[in-house]
Amino acid sequence: MARPQLPLNALRAFEASARHLSFTRAGLELCVSQAAVSQQIRTLEARLGVTLFRRLPRGLALTDEGAALVPVLMDAFERIGATLDRFADGRYHEVLTVGVVGTFATGWLLPRLPAFTAANPAVDLRILTNNNRVDLAGEGLDFAIRFGDGSWHGVEAVPLLDAPLTPLCAPALAQRLSAPADLAREVLLRSYRIEEWQRWFALAGVPCPAIRGPVFDSSPTIAAAAAMGAGVALLPARLFGHDLATDRLVRPFANEVPAGRYWLTRLHSRPETAAMQSFRHWIAAAVFAED
């Protein structure tokens, strides 16, 4: 089906006039005269065979046909503008949207992002954090970095980091801990996965005490509570390196319990773009360099 050959200037004049409901204000925006805008509108109406505006004593009113055309043109011009904006500094900037579980975002990804952006200036990276509950298709994500066992339906999953758990706490609280059994006297902060503490005590060869500490929905929140002295948190130490290096948190025991790993995931049905390929190669190399 052949597309109608409509004059772009006339469409721009109509869209501006529809927003302002004034040929005069549309002309000021487009840097042309009121008469030029009016002529463009007449040309468009003649081409379409409909009336787009009712001319009123004070301004304009859209007809039903004009009202139907406005949202289509606004959306089209907005999309054109957004695409043209990607040609900054003489190159096309491709948007890459990555969903990231909050612990990995703050503990590993964010400190390393300057290296990725420096190496890939044409990638417009968007980071969306979550609590490991993500809908790749529904949220329009190119990738999602999530925690688990890698078994997600319809998803390609590439392993990134193992994340064994170990107790972390504030320095003052750590002074009261000389053996794993001493944890029975402390508040044990927990996530929704309560069995993690049970498994840690089992590997440490100590009976697991009753765990009645507060439940948190994210590891960064648990870490913040532990740093304030609210209790002992069971966390992946490698993702809280800054807190350990600055003595905001300390690690009283070396014992670790395996808990799963972080994965780079994408839908099987999602074709890999150049930006996706660049990010995948970069993050794989960054992880490999640390192992």
Side-chain angles (χ1 to χ4, degrees), residues 5-265:
Q5 300 298 312
L6 298 177
L8 179 59
N9 284 341
L11 293 174
R12 293 179 63 221
F14 168 73
E15 190 270 341
S17 299
R19 281 188 285 105
H20 295 293
L21 291 178
S22 166
F23 291 156
T24 300
R25 289 197 291 273
L28 291 173
E29 177 182 317
L30 300 174
C31 299
V32 298
S33 67
Q34 183 269 351
V37 173
S38 180
Q39 179 58 45
Q40 292 281 7
I41 300 301
R42 284 196 296 271
T43 298
L44 184 60
E45 289 176 326
R47 184 71 65 89
L48 295 174
V50 299
T51 300
L52 299 172
F53 291 107
R54 293 195 303 273
R55 278 71 168 173
L56 305 175
R58 296 178 182 234
L60 304 168
L62 285 163
T63 63
D64 289 344
E65 292 80 5
L69 183 56
V70 168
V72 176
L73 286 181
M74 285 185 171
D75 178 66
F77 285 134
E78 182 176 343
R79 291 169 63 187
I80 291 171
T83 299
L84 292 177
D85 286 343
R86 294 187 190 176
F87 286 92
D89 57 36
R91 73 184 89 191
Y92 181 73
H93 288 246
E94 184 183 341
V95 174
L96 178 69
T97 306
V98 182
V100 188
V101 63
T103 308
F104 190 91
T106 58
W108 193 92
L109 183 61
L110 295 184
R112 294 164 177 82
L113 275 186
F116 174 79
T117 55
N120 299 273
V123 176
D124 184 3
L125 184 62
R126 314 284 173 85
I127 299 294
L128 306 179
T129 58
N130 57 67
N131 286 338
N132 213 43
R133 295 173 177 85
V134 63
D135 179 355
L136 278 157
E139 298 176 41
L141 300 175
D142 296 303
F143 285 120
I145 297 173
R146 60 176 90 177
F147 181 81
D149 60 7
S151 300
W152 294 282
H153 180 69
V155 169
E156 174 188 281
V158 177
L160 293 177
L161 294 177
D162 290 323
L165 304 177
T166 192
L168 302 180
C169 61
L173 193 157
Q175 293 178 4
R176 303 197 295 265
L177 304 174
S178 58
D182 296 335
L183 288 170
R185 299 192 298 267
E186 305 295 339
V187 174
L188 301 180
L189 308 175
R190 51 192 170 135
S191 71
Y192 57 88
R193 297 184 294 268
I194 189 172
E195 74 281 357
E196 292 173 343
W197 270 118
Q198 296 169 348
R199 291 175 55 233
W200 186 87
F201 277 103
L203 286 178
V206 177
C208 182
I211 301 174
R212 302 188 180 90
V215 177
F216 298 87
D217 70 347
S218 74
S219 293
T221 308
I222 300 176
M228 291 186 288
V232 182
L234 195 59
L235 296 167
R238 70 183 305 176
L239 296 182
F240 292 90
H242 178 73
D243 297 280
L244 292 167
T246 57
D247 290 330
R248 184 169 178 261
L249 290 171
V250 297
R251 180 177 180 174
F253 310 113
N255 310 60
E256 291 182 326
V257 60
R261 60 176 52 172
Y262 291 93
W263 303 76
L264 180 68
T265 68

